Amino acid sequence: MSSPSLAQRADTANSETHVTSEVLAVPEQRIDSSPQPEVLVISVRADERGASEAVRWAEQVGGAGAKAVVASDAQLEKQVDAAQRVLVLDPGAIAAWRGFGARATSRERLALVARLADRFDHVTWASSRPKAAQWVRSAQE
């Protein structure tokens, strides 16, 4: 004795199968109505020190078109995709010693590299104050 094919079983009413006309509720997508930044400054160091450095450099670019975030931001990829230009603050040992910013751990750096792997076309990594200053000048032009 053979069992009916899958198509036949799907077309046959079964007492265990209940068809309802209920409409499933689909969760609404939250839409962020805030304007997307033209310039995004990311600190590799994902703590308060890194955040304050990112804010300071974003203020140097100026205007409402600049935004600062840290590498651990949950929406980082979307923000990078929306921004026209991105500066990543990643002080080297000497630059950190000279006051450029707080040095990040290797783990933080590698995590950010992995998150930005497909987005390097408009991202600049600055490991020193002169490199960041050069980027700021070009962003203001």
Side-chain angles (χ1 to χ4, degrees), residues 61-113:
V61 174
K67 183 175 180 182
V69 296
V70 293
S72 61
D73 189 292
Q75 300 294 320
L76 183 68
E77 290 87 348
K78 289 181 183 177
Q79 293 181 49
V80 168
D81 290 342
Q84 292 175 3
R85 303 185 68 200
V86 179
L87 174 65
V88 177
L89 301 174
D90 186 17
I94 294 172
W97 180 75
R98 291 181 177 167
F100 174 57
R103 198 163 150 73
T105 65
S106 295
R107 180 170 290 181
E108 289 171 317
R109 188 173 297 107
L110 290 173
L112 184 58
V113 167

Side-chain angles (χ1 to χ4, degrees), residues 17-97:
T17 304
H18 301 285
V19 178
T20 64
S21 61
E22 290 181 36
V23 176
L24 298 176
V26 177
E28 291 183 31
Q29 292 183 350
R30 290 178 33 191
I31 299 172
D32 185 9
S33 61
S34 62
Q36 295 299 327
E38 293 176 18
V39 174
L40 185 65
V41 180
I42 304 170
S43 171
V44 175
R45 186 171 174 125
D47 64 1
E48 189 62 36
R49 290 173 64 192
S52 65
E53 286 297 315
V55 168
R56 187 170 65 83
W57 282 96
E59 287 173 349
Q60 287 186 25
V61 174
K67 183 175 180 182
V69 296
V70 293
S72 61
D73 189 292
Q75 300 294 320
L76 183 68
E77 290 87 348
K78 289 181 183 177
Q79 293 181 49
V80 168
D81 290 342
Q84 292 175 3
R85 303 185 68 200
V86 179
L87 174 65
V88 177
L89 301 174
D90 186 17
I94 294 172
W97 180 75

